[in-house]
Amino acid sequence: MGCGVSGMTLQWALRVAGAITLGGLISLPATAQQVIELESAPVNSSFSQVPTVAELTDVKPTDWAYQAVQSIVERYGFMQGEKSKFRGNAPLTRYEFAAAIAEVMQSIGPIASEDDLKMLRQLQDVYGKALNRVRSRLTDLEARETTLSGSQFSTTTKFSGRSDQIITGGTADSKMSVVSRVRLNLDTSFSGRDLLVTQLEAGNSGLDAIGLGQQRQGDQLSRAGTIANGGGLDAVSVDPSVRIRKLYYTFPVSKTVQITIGSAIPPSDFIDRNTFANNSGQNFASSFFMNNPLIVQNPVERSSGAGVVAQWVASKAVTVRGLLSGAGGNDPKVGLFRDPYQITLEGEYRIPQRSIVVRGQYTNANVAGGSVNAIGLNGEWRISRQAGAFGRVGLANYSGVRPRNNAELNGTPLSWSVGGMLRNFVIPGSKAGFAIGQPFVGVLGNATQTNAEAYFGLLINDRINFSPSLLFVMNPDNQRAASILQWALRMTFDF
């Protein structure tokens, strides 16, 4: 390179010089201004001296800037090209143009004419403010990066949490009470593709009207039920002692397969998920509407046992999952395959054109001294940006299962639930939902429990959600008893 001008600087200089030769940027036609551009790739050995414009295969005499490029070669006697190409169509931003002018002023000064230097100074004045803004932003970014690096929790771990504070009351001789639950999450990644999940949980052992009514009837279908989870508020019955609810590590073994292993794996983290009914902090408050109680076995879910999960993304539309979780997996006297444990297979199919997701499921489990084999179907439909619907149905075979009253349970219970959700309901930024279902139809008790819930959620800001709910249970715990009507005011804090 002649005159000490680098390959990158020279390419900038040629483009600037082209603008000068044609009378400046302002006088160029619109199409011409669009092609005053910058080669943004780093300079390397592929750049070589070009003694004449004719050697550049992508610069033709018919090009609008041909005379400008030819003039700069003839007047100053230097040019570099990349593999005989000028590459004049690389994007040039105002910031890059300002930087180019500043560098050209230093490099081309000794060989430029007074007229050229005068034009360059004018361009430098015009774009100097843009360059100063770039420098200011870079300085600000460096300061912010230093502050964040000094205050971050960890270079590999993201800390987050959720606090559910609920004031509730209802019938069944229930007085107004407060239910509280806090969950702290530590998500750690060592490579960017793996994830170590740790979740700590504690509560105030709070109870709601529905839970109280179910306790009086045997407590078999409550949130802590031995048969199925058909309970009220999901946040009830959480012990004040801090416990590890989740502890597992997920890593890829190929582009389409990932494995999860851990000592505390809640099945609901991996199977039977649903956009509209799977998050008690953001949609339905009832534990029953979070999962199909025949597919996600309550004794396994609440104990968060050890296990392994495999997921295979067969295509954009098809995903297959397999899960094993056993409450006694950390005890060599019990092992993974002793009561309670469950094995679940789930196939998911997405229909993107219709925004429909369907999941087919099979669960084999040992709970309460007996065996369970269940099949299930989980579907969701995003009808529009403002509306969605969901449904779950399951059928199971229970053999030799002994609930708390020690009466052996044998038969084929059914479980179902349907519901919908509306966004921006009455108030912008809000959402509302309604769901109804029966957690355990047949086999158990002298009646069938029916659950229903309506909620209204209002996002106060990105971190606080306020949600009043009405919950209704008929024939609690599958026994003929007075229906329970319950209200709840939820405040969910995400941090």
Side-chain angles (χ1 to χ4, degrees):
M1 173 67 66
C3 302
V5 183
S6 67
M8 179 62 71
T9 301
L10 181 54
Q11 290 191 52
W12 283 347
L14 290 173
R15 288 158 177 75
V16 174
I20 296 170
T21 306
L22 293 180
L25 285 174
I26 297 176
S27 64
L28 293 177
T31 53
Q33 292 192 38
Q34 294 173 1
V35 294
I36 297 182
E37 296 163 333
L38 171 69
E39 170 57 57
S40 58
V43 177
N44 53 48
S45 59
S46 63
F47 284 92
S48 58
Q49 192 76 20
V50 178
T52 173
V53 179
E55 292 190 14
L56 297 175
T57 59
D58 59 345
V59 179
K60 300 177 181 178
T62 55
D63 292 339
W64 71 270
Y66 178 81
Q67 290 182 350
V69 176
Q70 186 181 44
S71 175
I72 200 72
V73 174
E74 292 175 354
R75 293 171 65 183
Y76 302 115
F78 58 79
M79 176 180 287
Q80 280 195 350
E82 183 181 10
K83 297 180 180 179
S84 299
K85 291 185 177 181
F86 184 56
R87 297 182 62 84
N89 290 326
L92 173 67
T93 68
R94 289 172 61 89
Y95 295 131
E96 291 169 330
F97 190 50
I101 293 172
E103 193 166 352
V104 166
M105 288 292 295
Q106 298 176 2
S107 302
I108 205 173
I111 57 175
S113 68
E114 282 297 323
D115 291 339
D116 290 341
L117 291 177
K118 182 178 179 181
M119 178 61 71
L120 283 173
R121 291 190 186 100
Q122 291 176 355
L123 290 173
Q124 189 177 34
D125 291 340
V126 172
Y127 289 96
K129 293 181 180 180
L131 183 59
N132 289 336
R133 286 197 296 269
V134 172
R135 290 169 178 163
S136 177
R137 290 174 63 184
L138 287 174
T139 301
D140 182 59
L141 287 173
E142 289 174 354
R144 292 174 61 185
E145 191 275 335
T146 302
T147 301
L148 289 173
S149 297
S151 61
Q152 65 181 344
F153 177 78
S154 168
T155 57
T156 58
T157 301
K158 178 182 177 181
F159 174 80
S160 63
R162 170 172 290 176
S163 173
D164 296 301
Q165 306 298 324
I166 307 171
I167 301 175
T168 184
T171 60
D173 296 326
S174 173
K175 305 297 189 295
M176 187 170 66
S177 60
V178 176
V179 176
S180 177
R181 180 181 65 187
V182 176
R183 288 173 172 172
L184 303 179
N185 305 301
L186 301 172
D187 294 335
T188 304
S189 180
F190 304 101
S191 66
R193 300 181 62 203
D194 61 340
L195 184 64
L196 173 65
V197 174
T198 306
Q199 185 182 83
L200 307 177
E201 180 185 63
N204 69 341
S205 295
L207 194 62
D208 60 350
I210 293 175
L212 180 62
Q214 289 175 322
Q215 278 187 357
R216 291 169 178 166
Q217 302 301 325
D219 205 23
Q220 299 175 95
L221 299 181
S222 69
R223 181 190 180 278
T226 56
I227 299 302
N229 185 348
L233 296 175
D234 181 62
V236 302
S237 304
V238 178
D239 196 85
S241 301
V242 178
R243 74 167 184 131
I244 298 178
R245 181 174 177 267
K246 299 179 185 179
L247 183 58
Y248 54 79
Y249 179 61
T250 300
F251 58 93
V253 295
S254 70
K255 291 184 178 180
T256 59
V257 177
Q258 65 179 26
I259 301 296
T260 300
I261 56 174
S263 59
I265 296 181
S268 63
D269 259 29
F270 301 92
I271 60 170
D272 200 40
R273 299 190 64 80
N274 193 290
T275 302
F276 307 114
N278 197 229
N279 187 333
S280 63
Q282 299 296 326
N283 41 60
F284 294 97
S286 300
S287 59
F288 167 52
F289 292 118
M290 289 185 63
N291 294 111
N292 184 332
L294 304 183
I295 297 299
V296 178
Q297 289 291 312
N298 204 42
V300 181
E301 172 73 13
R302 298 309 172 191
S303 63
S304 297
V308 59
V309 184
Q311 176 175 283
W312 173 40
V313 181
S315 67
K316 290 183 178 180
V318 178
T319 301
V320 180
R321 303 178 185 91
L323 172 140
L324 164 64
S325 181
N330 59 345
D331 187 348
K333 297 179 181 178
V334 179
L336 283 170
F337 298 95
R338 292 285 297 274
D339 187 350
Y341 83 92
Q342 79 170 72
I343 298 173
T344 299
L345 296 176
E346 180 178 74
E348 178 180 286
Y349 181 66
R350 294 179 174 269
I351 309 174
Q353 297 83 356
R354 298 182 179 273
S355 298
I356 294 175
V357 183
V358 179
R359 303 171 183 90
Q361 305 146 331
Y362 167 75
T363 288
N364 170 264
N366 271 23
V367 294
S371 64
V372 177
N373 286 278
I375 56 174
L377 197 62
N378 171 335
E380 61 181 81
W381 178 24
R382 188 180 296 278
I383 302 170
S384 68
R385 284 190 173 186
Q386 308 299 326
F390 81 93
R392 290 185 175 102
V393 63
L395 182 67
N397 177 265
Y398 277 61
S399 178
V401 177
R402 292 183 176 274
R404 288 195 172 107
N405 60 10
N406 292 321
E408 189 173 286
L409 187 65
N410 298 284
T412 54
L414 172 75
S415 178
W416 65 272
S417 64
V418 293
M421 182 273 297
L422 290 174
R423 296 187 185 277
N424 298 316
F425 180 73
V426 181
I427 301 175
S430 67
K431 60 183 175 181
F434 176 79
I436 187 170
Q438 295 177 313
F440 208 82
V441 181
V443 183
L444 178 69
N446 55 25
T448 299
Q449 176 178 308
T450 300
N451 294 51
E453 180 185 345
Y455 77 90
F456 176 82
L458 182 61
L459 202 62
I460 306 299
N461 55 39
D462 291 341
R463 301 292 183 179
I464 303 175
N465 183 59
F466 172 69
S467 182
S469 303
L470 278 177
L471 296 82
F472 174 78
V473 168
M474 184 173 64
N475 299 321
D477 232 50
N478 274 16
Q479 301 296 324
R480 291 192 181 94
S483 298
I484 303 171
L485 180 63
Q486 176 179 323
W487 58 268
L489 298 177
R490 288 181 290 165
M491 288 291 289
T492 301
F493 303 88
D494 290 309
F495 54 92

